[in-house]
């Protein structure tokens, strides 16, 4: 049976991320970073702050090696930060192409570089706005140009095939089949929920039994940033979820309203476990595509846009705060629409008119 601790997934995740940020500010980052994270506490989520802290530890490690030689990151001061030039930050972005941290080799693509630059900019902006540094050199650094990538998604029969593979186990190895009988109903429900609603992996993992309402086929998800949203699912999703709930009861799991919806060994399933099961089935039906839970989200978003032609509906259902985010991800679909209207407007009369 899942414990009460398991039931409040988001509270536990926030607590863990806050603890990680506190550990980094106490033991790794310069002392002034504690003031920074306190200052942005009400404006950001614990996960965002943790991502910032991870990016900044790389930045200050770089400064300790390349600019303030002899100083460890903890010894870097605000006057030191003020002395960092835009050229130093551009050097940092170049350094990220291939660098070593904590004894391991790392390499950032342009998207990862852009995110780390965003973290550095936010830090400089905070202390500049507070009047604690007199110049914001991070604002002078251009964001690395990001190249648009094609949307990777399941198409046509691949959508049906991945669900069928989860149901039957066809194509799995003997080792995988040993676990399949136990987990096939759960795995099918997870895939159907992803493909039928487009929710994020964190939203799926965080679901409790009480979040599902079969009376009107609705469910409550916790979006990025902690806001709640009510979404709806169709009969196929309802059938898969009901079958999984019945299966849990059949094998002796006590299903309470506050216990996790999706379980692994009687505990809330983890993000990693969901990623692995999606990869396992997708590799059989579409071996050349790197399908992840996010790609299943893209599959749903693409299908919804093709069906409705309404980018605002897609943005709302997917939980995009800015419709431009949706437009960017589904630009290829927009291009298809543009091509489809060619010739629709007649410039000459038909011969028979």
């Amino acid at each position: 049976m899942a414990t009460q601790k398991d039931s409040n997934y988001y509270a536990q995740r926030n607590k863990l991320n806050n603890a990680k940020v506190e550990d980094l500010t106490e033991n790794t980052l310069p002392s002034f970073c504690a003031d920074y994270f306190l200052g942005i506490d009400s404006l950001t989520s614990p996960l965002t702050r943790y991502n910032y802290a991870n990016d900044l530890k790389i930045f200050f490690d770089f400064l300790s090696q390349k600019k303030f030689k002899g100083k460890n990151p903890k010894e870097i001061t605000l006057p030191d930060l003020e002395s960092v030039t835009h050229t130093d930050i551009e050097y940092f972005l170049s350094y990220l192409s291939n660098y070593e941290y904590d004894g391991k080799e790392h390499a950032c693509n342009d998207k990862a570089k852009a995110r780390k630059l965003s973290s550095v900019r936010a830090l400089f902006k905070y202390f500049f706005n507070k009047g604690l540094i007199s110049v914001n050199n991070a604002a002078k650094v251009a964001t690395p140009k990001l190249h648009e990538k094609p949307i990777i998604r399941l198409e046509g029969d691949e959508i049906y095939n991945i669900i069928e593979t989860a149901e039957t186990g066809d194509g799995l190895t003997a080792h995988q089949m040993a676990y399949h009988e136990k987990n096939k109903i759960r795995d099918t429900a997870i895939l159907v929920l992803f493909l039928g609603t487009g929710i994020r992996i964190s939203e799926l993992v965080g679901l409790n039994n009480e979040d599902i309402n079969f009376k009107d086929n609705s469910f409550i998800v916790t979006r990025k940033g902690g806001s709640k949203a009510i979404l709806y699912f169709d009969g196929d999703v309802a059938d898969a979820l009901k079958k999984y709930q019945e299966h849990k009861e059949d094998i002796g799991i006590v299903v309470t309203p506050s216990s996790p919806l999706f379980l692994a060994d009687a505990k809330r399933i983890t993000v990693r476990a969901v990623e692995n099961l999606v990869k396992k089935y997708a590799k059989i039906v579409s071996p050349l595509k790197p399908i992840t839970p996010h790609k299943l989200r893209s599959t749903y978003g693409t299908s919804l846009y093709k069906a409705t032609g309404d980018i605002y509906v897609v943005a709302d259902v997917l939980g995009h705060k800015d419709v431009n985010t949706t437009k960017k991800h589904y630009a290829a679909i927009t291009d298809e629409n543009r091509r489809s209207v060619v010739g629709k407007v007649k410039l000459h009369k038909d011969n028979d008119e």
Side-chain angles (χ1 to χ4, degrees):
M1 176 180 174
T3 65
Q4 182 63 33
K5 182 179 179 181
D6 287 326
S7 69
N8 201 337
Y9 169 75
Y10 295 99
Q12 290 299 316
R13 188 179 70 170
N14 289 343
K15 182 178 179 181
L16 178 62
N17 285 326
N18 280 330
K20 290 177 179 178
V21 172
E22 184 176 351
D23 178 67
L24 285 170
T25 53
E26 287 183 356
N27 301 307
T28 305
L29 296 171
S31 59
F32 56 80
C33 285
D35 294 333
Y36 168 62
F37 286 112
L38 179 63
I40 66 171
D41 183 84
S42 62
L43 305 174
T44 55
S45 69
L47 179 59
T48 295
R49 293 192 293 278
Y50 177 54
N51 288 333
Y52 280 179
N54 273 321
D55 292 339
L56 291 174
K57 76 179 181 181
I58 304 300
F59 177 63
F60 286 113
D61 182 71
F62 161 80
L63 291 178
S64 71
Q65 292 182 54
K66 306 298 183 181
K67 186 172 180 68
F68 306 118
K69 297 179 181 178
K71 277 190 175 184
N72 67 47
K74 286 293 296 180
E75 297 172 327
I76 293 175
T77 65
L78 274 175
D80 290 331
L81 186 70
E82 187 175 45
S83 72
V84 173
T85 67
H86 69 276
T87 302
D88 293 328
I89 299 173
E90 289 167 346
Y91 181 18
F92 170 61
L93 294 179
S94 175
Y95 162 86
L96 290 173
S97 296
N98 194 341
Y99 68 99
E100 184 176 320
Y101 183 82
D102 202 20
K104 297 180 180 180
E105 292 287 334
H106 302 272
C108 289
N109 58 24
D110 287 340
K111 184 177 180 180
K113 289 180 181 181
R115 196 193 81 171
K116 285 180 170 54
L117 175 59
S118 178
S119 298
V120 171
R121 280 177 175 166
L123 179 79
F124 273 77
K125 182 179 179 180
Y126 175 82
F127 286 110
F128 177 72
N129 288 344
K130 291 288 183 180
L132 297 175
I133 59 175
S134 61
V135 62
N136 180 4
N137 282 321
K140 303 175 183 178
V141 180
T143 301
K145 184 176 181 180
L146 301 181
H147 302 283
E148 295 295 335
K149 296 181 179 179
I151 301 172
I152 298 175
R153 56 184 180 266
L154 296 177
E155 299 185 48
D157 289 345
E158 292 174 336
I159 297 173
Y160 310 112
N161 290 343
I162 193 172
I163 296 172
E164 185 177 5
T165 300
E167 291 174 337
T168 64
D170 290 346
L172 295 178
T173 66
H175 177 72
Q176 291 170 333
M177 283 299 293
Y179 297 92
H180 181 254
E181 190 63 29
K182 175 184 175 182
N183 296 320
K184 64 181 181 181
I185 297 177
R186 180 204 66 188
D187 293 356
T188 300
I190 287 174
L191 292 173
V192 170
L193 185 58
F194 271 136
L195 290 166
T197 66
I199 60 173
R200 298 178 176 91
I201 187 171
S202 62
E203 294 167 350
L204 180 141
V205 169
L207 287 172
N208 291 339
N209 294 312
E210 62 191 353
D211 296 323
I212 309 297
N213 181 2
F214 289 113
K215 291 181 180 179
D216 64 355
N217 284 359
S218 66
F219 67 116
I220 299 173
V221 294
T222 302
R223 295 295 200 189
K224 291 171 69 174
S227 63
K228 303 282 187 180
I230 298 176
L231 300 177
Y232 297 88
F233 48 83
D234 66 10
D236 289 335
V237 175
D239 290 344
L241 292 177
K242 287 177 182 177
K243 189 174 181 180
Y244 176 55
Q245 293 288 49
E246 292 168 359
H247 171 71
K248 287 191 291 186
E249 294 175 352
D250 290 343
I251 62 176
I253 293 175
V254 178
V255 177
T256 65
S258 62
S259 59
L261 176 60
F262 292 109
L263 302 173
D265 298 324
K267 297 180 181 178
R268 185 184 299 277
I269 197 168
T270 64
V271 167
R272 178 62 61 84
V274 174
E275 290 172 337
N276 287 340
L277 76 86
V278 169
K279 181 179 179 181
K280 175 177 66 177
Y281 296 118
K283 191 173 182 181
I284 295 171
V285 303
S286 186
L288 299 181
K289 295 179 182 178
I291 298 297
T292 64
H294 191 74
K295 300 300 185 292
L296 299 185
R297 177 171 161 83
S298 294
T299 299
Y300 174 79
T302 300
S303 299
L304 182 61
Y305 185 60
K306 284 183 174 180
T308 65
D310 191 331
I311 200 71
Y312 292 95
V313 168
V314 178
D316 180 60
V317 172
L318 293 182
H320 290 161
K321 293 181 178 179
D322 185 351
V323 73
N324 288 317
T325 301
T326 318
K327 289 179 179 178
K328 179 178 69 175
H329 286 298
Y330 298 97
I333 307 303
T334 302
D335 186 63
E336 288 179 17
N337 285 347
R338 290 172 183 158
R339 291 175 182 271
S340 70
V341 301
V342 172
K344 298 295 185 183
V345 176
K346 300 295 184 181
L347 302 181
H348 300 283
K349 289 183 178 181
D350 292 332
N351 291 333
D352 58 353
E353 289 186 3

